Amino acid sequence: MAKKSENKKPTDPVKRKKFRKYTFRLWLLFLAGWGFIFLLFWMAGKGWFGEMPGFERLENPQTSLATEIVSADGQTIGKFFYQNRTPVHYSELPPSLVQALTSTEDERYYDHPGLDFKSTVRAVAFMGRRGGGSTITQQLAKLLFHHEGSKNILERIKQKIKEIIIAARLERQYTKDEILTMYMNTYDWGHQGVGIRSASRVYFGKEPKDLNIDEAAMLVGMLKNSSYFNPITKPERVRKRRNVVFQQMYRNGYLTEKQLDSLKALPLSINYTPELHNTGIATYFRERVRKFVKEKLKNIRKKDGKPYNIYSDGLRIYTTIDSRMQHNAEEAMREHMKNLQAEFFRQGKKNKTFPFVNLTKKEIEKLMERAMRRSERWKTLQKAGLKEDSIRASFFEPVKMRVFSWKGEIDTIMKPYDSIRYYKSFLHAGLMSMEPSTGYVKAWVGGINFKHFKYDHVDQGARQVGSTFKPFIYATAIAQKHLSPCDTFPNTPYTIKKGRWGLNKSWSPKNAGGQYGGWMTLKKALANSVNVITARLIDMVGPQPVIDLAHNLGIKSKIPFAPSIALGTADIKLYEMVGAFNGFANKGQYIEPVFVTRIEDKNGRVLYEYKPVTNDVLSPQMAYVVTNLLEGVTQYGSGARLRHTFMKNSPVYKRVVTGYPYAFKNPIAGKTGTTQNQSDGWFIGYVPNLVTGVWVGGEDRSVHFRSIAYGQGATMALPIWALYMKKNYADKELGVSDKPFEKPAGVDINLNCDDTGKSSGDDKEDQSPLNDL
């Protein structure tokens, strides 16, 4: 029987000496190797290879956090950011996402101390061909403190050593769940999807907690390289990578074979929802919020003495906007303005100077010259040092550009000069809606498209208000002269003589179409915007009390001391007009419109909290009388189309009264307004718990419809109000009132007029040479 071979030490003294020498060198080399590795880590820890993050930086990594704008109903309606990152808590990560992540990126995540020796040896031995050796903790260390690995081998070794040290420190500082969450909050998935919350919203339009298993697997698959695995440009590549994640989940026991097969067969379910400054909901409002926050925080400092940065400090801005009402408002504006613009273009084909009306060639040249000089192109070329002749010449050289249209953006080649004229041909609009009792702004739409038209027609632009100013004259007259809505006045031509109220010449406003005769109640006169009766009223009380009332109701725009303000000649912002009408709806108390209630830093510390600003302007009884007057406008006056249904076959109604018939039956108070030459169309209306104002017009006053039928406020602005309100009423959760206005005790003025049911002026708007409505 053969004996087993035995390893014996050499017996020969010379051989034994050589063996000992060999063994000593081997141990020396082994110890020197470990000593060298220890020295490298010690040197790295002391900062010899560059700065290492200390305890404080580990506690507060220098990550850029997006500021969130939060609606009253708890929705994120916008962000400000350098990096679109908003952190979430571990509890907000679905189990399938955690399972997919650990199965694919770090199978022994919950067992190792930040360094997986087995994976590291495998990665070194096979040069990364069988997978990397970095743990989730190491990947987090890389993301937080040096991002991409160097291509220089020596530099990369130093980075790797630092990663391991930082990973060990992170493991001592945080729990496994916290590290995993930090990783998910830090990774950049591309397309402004930094962090899991932004990525979930960008690629699927939902919060992380709502991700299903195939969506979670896709995002985990992208962690390998979000640029290479891009679902927008390379969906098939991403689908295959997602299936690799499913395979790993099966391997780790999170999926059955049947589940694996069914999940692999699923297509990618992308709902691409980019979060950009120019797109999304409430774009004009978000810009107004940005300016507001910048102003409120300019004198507030962080603990380190630095000012807050709205783009990187992760603030939370709580607003009064209701995202559902905002959506309704934007949708209503889009539906109507698309129709109105199509009709404006159709009628413009007959106008040789389109889009301008009643301007000479020389006047148009001057207008376009001013527009060129105000353009960004002019300013940019001027800063570059070009002379005026060269700058002007560049406006007549065709260039590639993308322009706005209601059918979508158009890629075209156009002269910049022609593009300016093209953009001037668009009609614009603004809408603001607020809650009477609180002053909370519920919807804010500053224009038709923020990307192409930045000007906010809610709070930036002041335009002539037309007949929407008349309620202030009526309110003043009734209050001062103790008039009743049922008091009658002659509907006859009226002149305020030269010298009275500072007039340089006599003023004789006219009614629309020269319609006069008989006597008319104040209620009927306001309902049909009878100019001569409004002139009589302001002559009775004088301009100053009217101006005082308007200012007390929150109008800060300058109102000239002149009787002509009775017909709405003053330029006033939509924001101010809605706030003022809100005073009538809020039982005579003005409350300053509020759109931001609170600002917090990333840790929840309150930096700003609003305080209501109120002013008791009218008695509840007087405010109710004004409301009763304004109800007449929608019952049988210029706003009656909110109720009637008999104009279905009218060409005007078919083309541009979008959504007609509206058939409202609930009480509505409101006033239309149209200015000289139909340059501006207004409608401000309210129900007991919601006041909404709409303005429509061109950028220039010379851009307008020729006909009052198309250019009046009841045609241009009222349909947006009607569509918006119908959408609000369709959503019962919004709680928009359809009840009568509450009548306060002590109203001793007669409101039951006997001539208010019928009016020869039904659904017409009045005009005068000075001001139409």
Side-chain angles (χ1 to χ4, degrees):
M1 181 173 167
K3 291 183 180 181
K4 292 182 180 179
S5 60
E6 295 180 1
N7 291 325
K8 295 182 178 180
K9 295 181 180 179
T11 56
D12 181 56
V14 177
K15 289 182 177 180
R16 287 177 65 185
K17 187 176 181 180
K18 287 183 178 179
F19 180 76
R20 287 176 185 156
K21 189 176 181 179
Y22 173 77
T23 304
F24 175 76
R25 287 178 178 176
L26 190 63
W27 274 104
L28 186 65
L29 182 65
F30 177 75
L31 293 172
W34 276 105
F36 180 69
I37 292 172
F38 176 80
L39 180 64
L40 287 177
F41 278 89
W42 180 83
M43 292 170 67
K46 292 296 183 180
W48 286 34
F49 298 159
E51 182 187 3
M52 290 289 290
F55 175 82
E56 189 174 340
R57 276 192 68 193
L58 288 175
E59 276 289 298
N60 300 285
Q62 297 299 308
T63 53
S64 178
L65 300 178
T67 288
E68 282 191 275
I69 306 172
V70 184
S71 69
D73 55 320
Q75 300 299 308
T76 297
I77 59 174
K79 297 180 180 181
F80 303 115
F81 54 82
Y82 295 133
Q83 289 185 319
N84 185 17
R85 185 200 321 271
T86 305
V88 298
H89 298 290
Y90 181 80
S91 60
E92 299 174 72
L93 301 178
S96 59
L97 180 68
V98 176
Q99 293 164 2
L101 175 63
T102 54
S103 297
T104 309
E105 294 294 315
D106 195 346
E107 289 179 315
R108 287 174 289 280
Y109 174 68
Y110 286 101
D111 300 321
H112 63 65
L115 176 67
D116 188 338
F117 291 99
K118 184 177 179 180
S119 296
T120 302
V121 171
R122 183 197 64 213
V124 172
F126 294 99
M127 302 299 287
R129 290 190 298 273
R130 295 190 180 179
S134 291
T135 63
I136 288 174
T137 316
Q138 287 175 266
Q139 292 180 51
L140 173 62
K142 181 172 72 172
L143 289 174
L144 289 177
F145 300 108
H146 69 79
H147 304 288
E148 291 299 320
S150 173
K151 297 189 181 299
N152 182 291
I153 187 66
L154 293 177
E155 189 65 30
R156 184 67 189 114
I157 290 172
K158 288 197 294 183
Q159 288 180 342
K160 203 69 180 175
I161 292 170
K162 291 170 71 174
E163 280 177 25
I164 294 171
I165 294 172
I166 295 169
R169 292 180 178 178
L170 287 170
E171 290 277 347
R172 289 199 302 268
Q173 196 69 34
Y174 299 100
T175 67
K176 286 287 187 179
D177 290 348
E178 288 172 335
I179 290 171
L180 188 147
T181 306
M182 288 173 68
Y183 180 58
M184 287 281 94
N185 283 331
T186 305
Y187 188 80
D188 185 350
W189 272 270
H191 294 283
Q192 299 291 359
V194 184
I196 187 63
R197 184 163 187 257
S198 295
S200 300
R201 290 169 61 87
V202 167
Y203 291 112
F204 303 111
K206 60 175 64 173
E207 295 297 325
K209 61 183 176 63
D210 299 320
L211 291 172
N212 58 41
I213 190 169
D214 61 300
E215 294 165 342
M218 190 202 87
L219 292 175
V220 168
M222 292 173 66
L223 291 170
K224 188 170 185 178
N225 185 330
S226 60
S227 297
Y228 184 78
F229 295 102
N230 185 328
I232 308 303
T233 58
K234 304 292 182 184
E236 182 58 24
R237 180 185 292 170
V238 175
R239 188 188 68 81
K240 291 178 180 178
R241 175 62 184 164
R242 179 205 64 181
N243 288 350
V244 170
V245 176
F246 286 146
Q247 191 69 46
Q248 287 297 107
M249 294 179 72
Y250 168 70
R251 172 181 160 175
N252 283 273
Y254 294 120
L255 296 177
T256 64
E257 187 172 357
K258 184 177 180 181
Q259 289 172 324
L260 174 66
D261 293 338
S262 62
L263 287 170
K264 279 186 171 182
L266 292 174
L268 288 184
S269 56
I270 302 297
N271 178 21
Y272 184 51
T273 313
E275 293 188 323
L276 304 174
H277 296 303
N278 285 335
T279 59
I281 194 171
T283 45
Y284 290 92
F285 176 73
R286 280 150 44 190
E287 176 60 17
R288 181 66 185 89
V289 166
R290 186 188 68 81
K291 294 176 181 176
F292 177 89
V293 173
K294 184 178 179 181
E295 174 64 25
K296 292 298 179 183
L297 299 186
K298 67 180 180 181
N299 296 320
I300 300 177
R301 294 291 183 268
K302 295 185 286 187
K303 290 181 180 179
D304 60 6
K306 295 180 180 178
Y308 281 93
N309 188 324
I310 195 173
Y311 298 103
S312 61
D313 282 334
L315 307 177
R316 285 179 69 81
I317 305 167
Y318 294 92
T319 72
T320 61
I321 291 291
D322 187 296
S323 66
R324 299 161 296 181
M325 297 174 81
Q326 179 70 26
H327 173 78
N328 292 344
E330 293 182 7
E331 195 174 65
M333 182 179 289
R334 188 162 51 247
E335 290 173 5
H336 178 61
M337 293 305 293
K338 184 177 180 179
N339 282 346
L340 193 68
Q341 189 65 49
E343 179 62 20
F344 190 60
F345 280 148
R346 189 188 72 81
Q347 294 186 20
K349 293 177 181 178
K350 300 176 183 179
N351 179 10
K352 293 181 179 180
T353 60
F354 185 79
F356 310 110
V357 178
N358 297 328
L359 291 187
T360 65
K361 182 180 179 181
K362 191 172 182 179
E363 288 172 332
I364 292 172
E365 288 174 354
K366 285 182 178 180
L367 186 153
M368 290 297 293
E369 176 70 18
R370 289 194 301 271
M372 282 194 297
R373 288 178 174 276
R374 289 197 305 265
S375 70
E376 286 300 317
R377 181 184 185 86
W378 186 286
K379 293 174 184 176
T380 301
L381 295 177
Q382 195 172 51
K383 285 181 180 179
L386 271 68
K387 294 181 179 179
E388 281 198 7
D389 289 346
S390 299
I391 296 174
R392 187 175 287 102
S394 73
F395 278 83
F396 295 91
E397 296 173 3
V399 296
K400 290 182 179 180
M401 62 178 69
R402 178 171 290 179
V403 297
F404 169 79
S405 85
W406 278 109
K407 295 180 180 179
E409 291 184 331
I410 300 172
D411 290 314
T412 186
I413 297 175
M414 187 182 292
K415 297 174 184 177
Y417 182 91
D418 293 338
S419 73
I420 291 175
R421 189 157 182 162
Y422 170 73
Y423 274 120
K424 284 187 175 293
S425 68
F426 281 92
L427 297 173
H428 299 274
L431 177 150
M432 182 175 131
S433 188
M434 67 185 290
E435 189 174 70
S437 61
T438 62
Y440 286 2
V441 176
K442 310 306 290 183
W444 178 308
V445 190
I448 57 175
N449 185 285
F450 183 73
K451 181 179 179 180
H452 293 276
F453 306 98
K454 303 293 189 193
Y455 198 79
D456 189 336
H457 293 284
V458 171
D459 195 38
Q460 277 186 289
R463 298 290 290 249
Q464 279 192 343
V465 292
S467 282
T468 54
F469 196 77
K470 287 179 178 175
F472 304 116
I473 288 84
Y474 279 70
T476 303
I478 290 173
Q480 285 198 2
K481 302 299 180 181
H482 306 289
L483 301 176
S484 160
C486 300
D487 286 340
T488 58
F489 286 80
N491 179 21
T492 56
Y494 188 80
T495 298
I496 300 179
K497 300 296 184 180
K498 174 182 175 181
R500 186 166 172 79
W501 311 123
L503 288 175
N504 293 323
K505 61 179 181 179
S506 297
W507 179 56
S508 304
K510 293 180 172 54
N511 288 341
Q515 296 178 5
Y516 303 96
W519 289 70
M520 192 175 289
T521 64
L522 290 182
K523 191 169 187 177
K524 184 176 179 182
L526 180 62
N528 293 282
S529 284
V530 179
N531 290 337
V532 293
I533 292 180
T534 309
R536 288 179 184 274
L537 293 179
I538 200 167
D539 194 21
M540 290 171 62
V541 298
Q544 193 57 53
V546 175
I547 295 171
D548 292 341
L549 175 64
H551 286 330
N552 288 335
L553 286 168
I555 293 176
K556 295 180 173 63
S557 297
K558 184 178 180 180
I559 302 174
F561 182 89
S564 60
I565 63 171
L567 306 187
T569 54
D571 289 346
I572 302 174
K573 296 177 181 180
L574 176 62
Y575 177 88
E576 296 172 337
M577 288 296 291
V578 176
F581 268 64
N582 194 77
F584 299 141
N586 192 35
K587 303 176 182 178
Q589 184 187 60
Y590 168 74
I591 182 166
E592 185 176 45
V594 178
F595 52 88
V596 172
T597 57
R598 192 170 75 258
I599 304 170
E600 294 178 354
D601 69 8
K602 65 181 180 181
N603 299 315
R605 185 168 74 98
V606 176
L607 305 177
Y608 164 82
E609 195 160 21
Y610 96 103
K611 296 178 181 178
V613 177
T614 63
N615 184 19
D616 293 328
V617 181
L618 297 171
S619 68
Q621 294 79 13
M622 186 55 59
Y624 180 78
V625 171
V626 174
T627 294
N628 181 268
L629 280 168
L630 293 172
E631 283 188 86
V633 175
T634 67
Q635 289 167 348
Y636 45 81
S638 57
R641 63 181 66 184
L642 288 172
R643 303 187 183 285
H644 67 53
T645 61
F646 56 78
M647 298 294 288
K648 294 179 183 179
N649 296 320
S650 162
V652 177
Y653 281 66
K654 282 184 176 181
R655 287 174 181 159
V656 293
V657 185
T658 314
Y660 180 86
Y662 309 116
F664 287 103
K665 299 186 183 303
N666 57 291
I668 298 170
K671 189 70 191 79
T672 56
T674 311
T675 61
Q676 183 73 19
N677 297 322
Q678 301 81 247
S679 293
D680 307 273
W682 293 77
F683 183 72
I684 304 175
Y686 58 93
V687 295
N689 65 350
L690 195 66
V691 181
T692 304
V694 181
W695 167 89
V696 176
E699 176 185 334
D700 299 281
R701 296 183 193 274
S702 57
V703 177
H704 57 78
F705 282 101
R706 290 182 179 273
S707 164
I708 187 70
Y710 290 93
Q712 63 179 294
T715 302
M716 293 210 296
L718 180 144
I720 297 176
W721 190 96
L723 291 169
Y724 168 63
M725 291 299 289
K726 285 182 77 70
K727 294 174 190 294
N728 287 340
Y729 280 127
D731 186 347
K732 299 301 182 183
E733 290 186 4
L734 294 177
V736 178
S737 174
D738 59 359
K739 299 295 188 293
F741 293 96
E742 182 182 351
K743 185 177 181 179
V747 177
D748 55 5
I749 296 176
N750 179 26
L751 302 177
N752 299 315
C753 312
D754 60 4
D755 67 341
T756 57
K758 297 180 180 180
S759 169
S760 60
D762 183 40
D763 205 45
K764 292 182 180 179
E765 297 222 26
D766 303 312
Q767 309 171 64
S768 78
L770 174 66
N771 196 79
D772 310 330
L773 288 188

